Amino acid sequence: MKNRLPILTCISLSTFLLSLWAPVIKQPAYAQTASQNSTSQNSGSIEASPLQVDDEAIDDFVEALMTHRQIPGLSLAVIYDQKLIKTTGYGMLDRELNVHTRPSSIFPIASMSKPLTATAIMLLVQEGRVDLDAPIGTYLADVPEHWSAITVRHLLNHTAGLSEGVYADDLFVAPDEFVEKAAIAPLNFQPGESWMYSNTGYSLASIIVETVSQQSFDTFMSARIFEPLGMTQTHAIRDSYLFSNRAMGYLETEDGSLEPVSEFFRYSLLHKIMPGLQGAGSVTSTVLDLARWEIALQKEQFLTPAVQTEMQQVGILSSGRVSEYGLGWFFREINGHSSFSHGGNLWGYSTSISRFPDDRLAVIVLTNKDGEDGDRLARKIAERYIPGLVLDLEVPAISDDDPALTEKILVFLNGDETAIELTPERQIALTSTLRGQFYQSRWAALMQENPTQSLELLTKEVHPNGIKRRYRATAKDGVYLLTVVVTPDGLIASMGRSSEE
C-alpha cells in the first residue's frame, strides 16, 4: 500500500502529468507489435459513423503504444459526430487469469468521475434547484464559519481552498461523516484566491446532490444519468469490486516490471476506500457506457447548450487571472484545436476522456496500469484522427524578442527559484497545499535529474493571463515543449512541459 501523501495525489495524478510535466521525447519510434487479441465491436444500440480511418492502422498504433508504455490492457472508444466509430479491447484485463480486455470490461475510472459529478450538479442547476453562486451552506447543514464564502462553483472549479487533510486522517471516511471530518481542517487559501485540484470539493458536491435530491448519490446517478442513457454497467459506488469482468490493476516495480495490486488492497481495502471518494473518484464503468454519455452530451439531449457552455468556462480568480479548469473539465488548446478533458489515476489504473468539440471527436481510454497520463494516451490516439493535433518540435524557431526573460526562465527551470517570481496565486497553490507541495517536489526532482540546456522560442501569443511563450527545450535526455505564461508585470502564471501540446 502506498503511503498517505501519494494517496492524496493519486486521484488524480494525471492533473500533475497534464499541467506540470510529461515524459521527455527520446525520439525512438514505437515498435510494431503483434496483435494482442484485440476485440473490435460496436454496440448494436449505437449508430455507426461514416468517418473513413484505417482501423487496422489505429489498432497497430495502440498496440505499439501499449508496448512502449508497458500497459497490460486498454479499452478504447472513439466517438465522432455523435456516433461511436470504434470500440476495442487490447491486451490483458487480468494476466494471472488470462482474461483479455473487452469494450465491456469494467474499470475504476478514478477522477474521470468528476465530470460526471459536475453533470449531476448541472442537472440540478438546469432544473433551478441549485445556484452555482450560492454558498454551499445553502445546501449543507452545519457548515463551519470558515466555509461560509465557498460557493458551489468554487467546489466544481477547484478554487474553494479546501484542505485534502481528511483523506490523510481517515482513508475510510464515510459520506455521512465527510462534512464533519473535512470541516476540521483550516482552508489552504481563501475561496477564489488560487486554484488547486481538490477531491474534497467534489466529495462535498456529491453530498449537495444528496441533500437537494433527497436521494443517495448512487441512487441519483443511476436514476438520472446511468439508466436513462443505458449505462447499465456503470455504478457510482459498487457493493463489491470482485467480479469476473473487472480489470486487475498493475503497478510498476523498481526494476521496471509490472505486478498486480496486492491482494490485501483488492480484498480488504478497495471497498472501504471507494465510499470516501464518492463524487471525486468512485465510479466504475466501461468505454461503451461512457461513449453513451459522450454521445448524449454531443447531441445536447441531456444538458442544454447553455449549461454545457457554462461548464466549459474557465474559472476566474480573485486577481482577475484565469485557471485552465471549468466545471468538471480541463481546458486546453492544442495547435489551435479546443480540448476539454479529464483523466484519472487510482492504484493500478489510468483513464481519460478527451473531447475535441471543434473536430466533433472524443476519445475514451481505460487502462489497468498505475501512473500513466491517460489524457496523453487519449490525445496520441486522437492524433491519428486529427493530424493537426500532432506536435512538430522541429519547426523553425522565431526571433526571441526578450532573450533576458528566456534566460531567467532557463535558470528557474534548472533550480534557481529566485530567477523569476511566480504569481501570488501560483505561489499559494504550490506552498500552501499538500498536493502543491507534492507536485513541486516532483517537478524539482525531474528537473534535477534531467536539466534543461537551452530554450528556443517557437511561438508567442496573447493569453488571458498575459503572454504565452512556447519553447523548444533541449534537455539532457531529449527535447520537449515548454509552455510558459508570463503576466504583463513579468510573473510566471503557469509553466508546463509536454511532448504534445
Side-chain angles (χ1 to χ4, degrees):
M1 184 71 182
K2 300 179 180 179
N3 66 47
R4 291 188 174 186
L5 184 55
I7 281 172
L8 294 177
T9 63
C10 78
I11 310 274
S12 164
L13 178 63
S14 62
T15 60
F16 171 60
L17 296 167
L18 178 141
S19 302
L20 295 180
W21 67 276
V24 173
I25 298 176
K26 295 186 178 179
Q27 307 301 338
Y30 295 122
Q32 294 301 306
T33 62
S35 172
Q36 300 177 8
N37 295 309
S38 63
T39 300
S40 184
Q41 68 178 58
N42 285 331
S43 167
S45 62
I46 303 179
E47 185 181 357
S49 163
L51 182 68
Q52 297 300 312
V53 176
D54 186 338
D55 198 60
E56 268 191 42
I58 297 294
D59 290 339
D60 289 344
F61 178 80
V62 174
E63 289 166 357
L65 185 63
M66 291 172 64
T67 298
H68 181 67
R69 300 298 309 164
Q70 297 188 73
I71 297 171
L74 184 150
S75 195
L76 169 68
V78 181
I79 300 95
Y80 172 74
D81 196 18
Q82 305 179 12
K83 302 174 183 68
L84 180 65
I85 63 170
K86 183 174 181 62
T87 175
T88 308
Y90 303 89
M92 303 304 295
L93 192 72
D94 189 322
R95 287 179 169 180
E96 287 64 42
L97 297 179
N98 197 34
V99 178
H100 294 281
T101 311
R102 299 288 184 264
S104 58
S105 298
I106 297 172
F107 291 74
I109 68 170
S111 280
M112 273 180 67
S113 304
K114 289 183 174 69
L116 281 164
T117 300
T119 296
I121 288 285
M122 296 309 286
L123 281 173
L124 296 172
V125 169
Q126 192 167 268
E127 295 167 358
R129 300 167 71 186
V130 168
D131 179 352
L132 285 173
D133 296 309
I136 61 174
T138 307
Y139 310 106
L140 298 176
D142 302 320
V143 168
E145 178 63 27
H146 62 285
W147 286 8
S148 62
I150 297 175
T151 66
V152 179
R153 188 185 301 274
H154 287 139
L155 298 182
L156 296 187
N157 66 17
H158 297 301
T159 59
L162 290 160
S163 168
E164 297 276 74
V166 62
Y167 302 104
D169 294 336
D170 187 354
L171 291 178
F172 312 129
V173 59
D176 59 354
E177 302 173 326
F178 192 88
V179 174
E180 179 183 355
K181 292 190 174 183
I184 295 171
L187 293 176
N188 290 323
F189 52 82
Q190 291 304 303
E193 184 181 25
S194 185
W195 182 95
M196 182 48 70
Y197 191 85
S198 171
N199 290 320
T200 306
Y202 270 78
S203 289
L204 290 177
S206 77
I207 297 170
I208 288 175
V209 171
E210 292 184 327
T211 59
V212 172
S213 70
Q214 292 298 293
Q215 295 176 302
S216 71
F217 184 66
D218 186 32
T219 299
F220 180 90
M221 297 297 282
S222 295
R224 296 298 309 278
I225 300 177
F226 304 152
E227 291 173 7
L229 297 182
M231 298 171 67
T232 59
Q233 298 302 311
T234 303
H235 294 82
I237 296 177
R238 286 186 178 270
D239 294 330
S240 171
Y241 294 87
L242 302 175
F243 48 93
S244 61
N245 197 31
R246 92 296 182 248
M248 170 66 74
Y250 290 86
L251 309 171
E252 190 168 348
T253 64
E254 290 184 4
D255 64 6
S257 61
L258 292 179
E259 63 179 24
V261 295
S262 70
E263 291 188 3
F264 178 65
F265 174 74
R266 278 179 272 161
Y267 299 129
S268 301
L269 290 185
L270 187 58
H271 69 283
K272 297 178 181 178
I273 290 172
M274 293 301 261
L277 297 174
Q278 174 183 293
S282 64
V283 173
T284 51
S285 189
T286 71
V287 292
L288 289 171
D289 275 6
L290 294 167
R292 291 181 169 88
W293 171 46
E294 170 60 24
I295 289 168
L297 292 177
Q298 288 190 13
K299 288 184 174 181
E300 298 177 342
Q301 63 185 181
F302 190 59
L303 293 177
T304 67
V307 166
Q308 292 202 54
T309 297
E310 182 77 30
M311 294 180 75
Q312 295 168 4
Q313 300 301 307
V314 294
I316 301 175
L317 304 179
S318 304
S319 65
R321 286 186 276 267
V322 304
S323 70
E324 293 187 351
Y325 195 95
L327 305 179
W329 297 106
F330 283 98
F331 170 75
R332 301 180 84 204
E333 278 203 41
I334 305 171
N335 291 344
H337 298 255
S338 294
S339 169
F340 298 98
S341 67
H342 214 297
N345 288 85
L346 177 66
W347 307 272
Y349 306 94
S350 303
T351 65
S352 173
I353 176 170
S354 292
R355 312 173 68 204
F356 305 90
D358 298 340
D359 301 281
R360 298 175 293 168
L361 186 84
V363 176
I364 302 168
V365 292
L366 306 179
T367 81
N368 58 350
K369 183 189 174 189
D370 188 67
E372 285 294 318
D373 183 349
D375 284 347
R376 180 178 189 272
L377 296 173
R379 288 196 300 272
K380 296 303 291 183
I381 295 169
E383 288 174 2
R384 315 306 289 184
Y385 295 88
I386 312 171
L389 294 174
V390 177
L391 171 67
D392 183 3
L393 279 171
E394 297 182 0
V395 297
I398 64 174
S399 176
D400 194 337
D401 63 332
D402 196 342
L405 173 60
T406 299
E407 180 62 24
K408 289 180 182 178
I409 292 170
L410 179 61
V411 173
F412 179 88
L413 275 176
N414 287 322
D416 185 351
E417 297 180 1
T418 66
I420 188 168
E421 291 185 45
L422 306 177
T423 59
E425 58 267 24
R426 188 163 179 83
Q427 186 69 35
I428 288 168
L430 293 176
T431 60
S432 300
T433 68
L434 285 174
R435 191 181 293 273
Q437 292 163 14
F438 176 74
Y439 290 171
Q440 191 172 39
S441 66
R442 289 284 297 273
W443 171 273
L446 176 71
M447 299 312 299
Q448 186 174 8
E449 293 170 6
N450 188 34
T452 302
Q453 298 161 351
S454 65
L455 297 175
E456 297 176 275
L457 187 64
L458 300 181
T459 63
K460 177 188 171 187
E461 60 189 72
V462 175
H463 183 277
N465 291 338
I467 299 295
K468 179 188 288 186
R469 299 169 69 90
R470 284 193 172 101
Y471 294 96
R472 176 170 47 238
T474 301
K476 176 183 175 182
D477 289 345
V479 179
Y480 66 90
L481 182 77
L482 179 76
T483 302
V484 185
V485 176
V486 182
T487 67
D489 51 350
L491 306 178
I492 292 180
S494 61
M495 175 180 288
R497 56 181 283 158
S498 171
S499 58
E500 67 240 322
E501 275 196 1

